[in-house]
Every structure is written in structure tokens, then in C-alpha cells.
Amino acid sequence: MRNQPQKKQHHHGNLREALITAGVGLLNEGGLSALTLRKCAARAGVSHAAPAYHFKGLNGLLTAIAARGYQALAETMIEEREAAATDPHACLVAICNGYLRFAQENEALFDLMFSAKELCYDDPELQRESALARQVLHEGCAPFKHGSAGNEGTEIMIWALVHGFAGILRKRRVRPDHHPANNIRFEDILPHLECV
Amino acid sequence: MRNQPQKKQHHHGNLREALITAGVGLLNEGGLSALTLRKCAARAGVSHAAPAYHFKGLNGLLTAIAARGYQALAETMIEEREAAATDPHACLVAICNGYLRFAQENEALFDLMFSAKELCYDDPELQRESALARQVLHEGCAPFKHGSAGNEGTEIMIWALVHGFAGILRKRRVRPDHHPANNIRFEDILPHLECV
DNA sequence: TGTACATCAGTGAACGCGCGTTCACTGATGTAC
DNA sequence: TGTACATCAGTGAACGCGCGTTCACTGATGTAC
């Protein structure tokens, strides 16, 4: 019963999850600036001092939410990859599309993960989740080399490319008539990759 | 004399410039969160209500500073291009390096230009300066085609690539051991572009 | 050339707001015996 | 099985802070005559 409280309790039992969920909701609805300790607490139905206590301050909460973001990013990429054909090219394209879809469907969360907000970059969970997401991209790039830099060059190029796309496709960042056409696809961009 | 006040005056004479300069300084020193109306005013030596009056609120000031950022971005790219050889490939590489240099030398300003902060995107000056910066990249890409998308495909790909690089190279965004090597160069990445 | 007046850039005090932090506390839980 | 006690998750009131905005005002400037 501990994780599914039936009624108002002093010990919440699952406060960490509740606060992270609340934070993600706030991000989706109000953007980065809507994510505060007090609003998170209110949405989770606890005292506004609770998240400060639980996460040892605002940065701790932001860090936990960002870690959850990396987890979701990895899941989205894997989801796309699973749905794709098995040949390396299609897999990599699918992974890239997953990255892009995550960025577009989770604008503010993506903001938090890569923005100017100070996170606790040495937090083990944040490190683990971001490394796992990175690993998905790494595996997708492994069969390829590109130019003299080989595999590593491929991975960095692909990461930059997909990350840059994510940035410039964001709504409100670019005037509509400056928007790159949405129908530019990775398929058009990646054909020069050679299988090792 | 109007633009060079010798002593404390009621009419500042060049308040707009003074506030933008102050804002850029604040960004450099304290990041995005250090950029407030009150701090800008203090640094420019005016009452804290002055910038609100002059720029019609915080967003107006942020917008003017972002516009200045695009101007500086264009200047940096042009500077690199001028220093390069005249062949199209070297020019494009130079422009890309300029984009990247600007992003690295002006972290917080770059943040403001592309971050989640709400700017007045229909401000004529912001539109003009961002279009001019975009134009530099456009000209650099004009001699090339890439894949079936031709010139436009090239431009979007290059923009995404360089913008993504800028993002992932930012300090503190990525753990040191996840950092792409700084010595990866556009020269290694662009050889597949074909002259039209 | 001088005077009266309208304009407007910037002032400074006051306002309310939401924020993160602190801290003495309470009440539930787990453990030792 | 029951009791005493230590632990600790969460409370709620209070704090001070910096923020953007507002507004009656002041003083410099430009213009009409």
C-alpha cells in the first residue's frame, strides 16, 4: 500500500514521482518559467516546502526532471527504431526522427535539458540517463563511417545535425517564412554515409 | 553634443545604446538570468523605470538586445569569410566557423536569441537583423547543391549542422567525456557538397 | 530676439507579487526489547 | 504481542528578496509667435 496512498497521509509514499510528474506537466503547459518549487508542490498536493526538502532545493528538482527527459528521449528513439526496418540506414534515420519528434513534442522539457538553466551535472541519475540516450544514437551510428574521422565523426555529425534541426524547428524561434520546410528528411541528408 | 552628454543630464541622449550595451555586459557576466530591467538601468546609470519606459517593458529590451546579437552574428561570419580564400568551399567553411565562434564567445547572448525567452518576434529590427544574418549563410550555400533538395537542402542542412554544433559544444551542457572533440572541423564534414 | 507653452524623456517612490529558503513542529513509521 | 523510542518525511508560517509595473512629477527641449 505504501506506494498507492488511499487518502491524505502525512507520508506521501511516492512524492518523488508525484513531483516529477507535476513538473513535467507544468513544463508542457507553461514552459520553463512555469516550473517552480511552489507550483510543483501545489500540483502534487503537498506543502511547498516538501519539494525543497525532498530534492534539496530547486536545482535538485530540475535535475531530476531533466533526467526523466533523457529517459523519455531514449524511449522515443528506441520506439522509432523498433518500428523501422532492420537495415542500418533505416535504423539511423528512425533514431534521428525519434530525437526530432521528442524535441517537438516536449518543447519545454527539451529546453530544460539543453538550456541555460543550471542543473546538477554531476548527479548520477542525470549522468546515467543522458549516457543511455547518447548510447542509442551511438549504436545507430556504429555501422557507419564518414570522412576521415570514421565512426566518431559520424556520430558527432549526426548528433549536431539532429540537434540543430530540433533547435531551428522550434516554434516561435524563427519566422514562419524562414522556417526550413518540414518535409526535409534525414533520408535526403544521410545518403553519403558509407557502411564500414 | 546631444549624443555625447558631458555630465549628468535629465535627457540622457543615448539611452537606447547605453541600455543595450549594459544588457550585453550583464549577459556576458551573469548569463540569461542576470538580464533584468533593474540591473540594466543601474548599469546604464539611469532610474530603473527608464528602460521600461524606453522599451515599453522587459520584452522590448530583450528583443533589442537579441537584434543586436543577430547583427554581431552576421559580422562575425562576414569577418571569417573575408579572411578566407575566395573559393566557395573555403568561404562556406569560414562562415560556419564564424557562426560557431560567435556562439562560443557569446554564450548567453546566443541563449537569448534562441532560448525559450519570449521575444517580440514581429519587431521590425529583430526581423531585419535575423534576416541579414540568415542571408550570409544563404550566400555561402548558394554555390552548392546537396542531394535531391538542391540549394535549399544545402542551406537547411548546413544551418542545422552548425547550429547543432553550437548547441552541443556549449560549456556545461554536456559532460566532458561526452564532449565532441573540438578538433572536428567542418572541412571533414562538408566534402560531399557538390558545386552546382 | 525674447517669451510662452506644449511635448516628452527620465525620475523616484510605492505597490503587490511570487519566489526559494528556513525552522520549529508534528505525526507516521520502523526497530529494539 | 506490546511498549518505548528514534528516525524522518512532510507541515505551515514567516522571512527577505528582487522583480516588473505604475504614476504623479520634474526638468530639459523644441516650437510658435
Side-chain angles (χ1 to χ4, degrees):
Chain A
M1 285 298 107
R2 200 187 169 198
N3 287 329
Q4 291 164 358
Q6 307 294 322
K7 52 169 184 153
K8 181 85 176 179
Q9 298 177 310
H10 188 78
H11 284 213
H12 184 286
N14 208 5
L15 184 55
R16 183 184 167 80
E17 273 311 303
L19 287 171
I20 291 177
T21 303
V24 171
L26 284 167
L27 279 174
N28 284 338
E29 292 168 25
L32 250 185
S33 63
L35 182 50
T36 67
L37 283 179
R38 290 174 105 102
K39 285 182 188 159
C40 262
R43 179 173 285 227
V46 292
S47 127
H48 72 259
Y53 172 78
H54 203 99
F55 288 104
K56 302 190 195 309
L58 178 60
N59 279 351
L61 174 61
L62 298 183
T63 300
I65 293 173
R68 181 61 48 95
Y70 279 106
Q71 191 183 348
L73 170 59
E75 282 167 7
T76 307
M77 289 190 291
I78 288 171
E79 196 178 303
E80 293 279 339
R81 187 187 61 191
E82 302 297 301
T86 54
D87 80 281
H89 229 112
C91 273
L92 181 52
V93 168
I95 288 168
C96 289
N97 282 325
Y99 194 106
L100 206 53
R101 179 159 72 84
F102 173 82
Q104 291 185 291
E105 289 177 355
N106 304 272
E107 271 205 39
L109 185 50
F110 192 81
D111 267 339
L112 175 65
M113 291 154 62
F114 294 103
S115 82
K117 287 274 184 188
E118 286 297 327
L119 305 178
C120 306
Y121 292 103
D122 50 1
D123 175 72
E125 193 193 358
L126 180 62
Q127 291 191 353
R128 185 179 65 245
E129 296 300 338
S130 65
L132 284 174
R134 185 72 194 283
Q135 179 65 17
V136 178
L137 190 61
H138 178 75
E139 289 166 6
C141 291
F144 300 99
K145 69 183 174 71
H146 184 275
S148 59
N151 296 64
E152 197 196 357
T154 302
E155 186 176 340
I156 293 170
M157 186 195 75
I158 295 295
W159 189 19
L161 190 59
V162 73
H163 189 76
F165 255 96
I168 64 183
L169 282 177
R170 313 280 296 291
K171 288 182 193 70
R172 281 178 259 116
R173 300 287 173 286
V174 185
R175 287 170 55 201
D177 55 320
H178 286 172
H179 243 261
N182 271 316
N183 56 2
I184 296 289
R185 295 174 174 280
F186 289 107
E187 288 89 324
D188 295 332
I189 288 173
L190 304 184
H192 292 296
L193 294 181
E194 306 159 27
C195 276
V196 175
Chain B
M1 284 299 107
R2 201 187 169 201
N3 288 330
Q4 291 164 0
Q6 307 292 321
K7 54 172 180 152
K8 180 85 175 178
Q9 296 179 313
H10 187 77
H11 284 214
H12 184 287
N14 207 6
L15 183 55
R16 183 184 166 80
E17 272 312 302
L19 287 172
I20 291 176
T21 302
V24 171
L26 285 167
L27 279 174
N28 284 338
E29 291 167 25
L32 250 186
S33 63
L35 182 50
T36 66
L37 283 178
R38 290 173 106 100
K39 284 182 187 159
C40 261
R43 180 174 284 227
V46 292
S47 128
H48 72 259
Y53 173 78
H54 204 98
F55 287 104
K56 304 191 195 306
L58 177 61
N59 280 351
L61 175 61
L62 298 183
T63 300
I65 293 173
R68 182 61 49 94
Y70 279 105
Q71 191 183 351
L73 170 59
E75 282 168 6
T76 307
M77 289 190 290
I78 289 171
E79 197 178 301
E80 292 280 339
R81 187 186 62 192
E82 302 296 301
T86 53
D87 81 280
H89 229 109
C91 271
L92 182 52
V93 168
I95 288 167
C96 289
N97 282 325
Y99 194 107
L100 207 53
R101 180 160 72 84
F102 174 81
Q104 292 185 291
E105 289 176 355
N106 303 274
E107 271 205 38
L109 185 50
F110 192 81
D111 268 338
L112 175 64
M113 291 155 61
F114 294 101
S115 83
K117 288 274 184 189
E118 286 295 326
L119 305 178
C120 306
Y121 291 104
D122 50 359
D123 176 72
E125 193 192 358
L126 179 63
Q127 291 192 352
R128 185 178 64 244
E129 296 301 338
S130 65
L132 284 173
R134 185 73 195 281
Q135 178 65 16
V136 177
L137 190 61
H138 179 76
E139 289 166 6
C141 291
F144 299 99
K145 68 184 176 68
H146 184 274
S148 58
N151 297 64
E152 196 197 355
T154 302
E155 186 176 341
I156 292 170
M157 185 194 75
I158 295 295
W159 189 18
L161 191 60
V162 73
H163 189 75
F165 255 97
I168 64 184
L169 282 176
R170 313 281 298 290
K171 286 180 196 69
R172 281 177 261 119
R173 299 288 173 287
V174 185
R175 287 170 56 202
D177 56 320
H178 286 173
H179 244 260
N182 271 313
N183 56 3
I184 296 290
R185 296 176 172 281
F186 289 106
E187 288 88 328
D188 295 330
I189 288 172
L190 304 184
H192 290 297
L193 295 181
E194 306 158 27
C195 276
V196 176

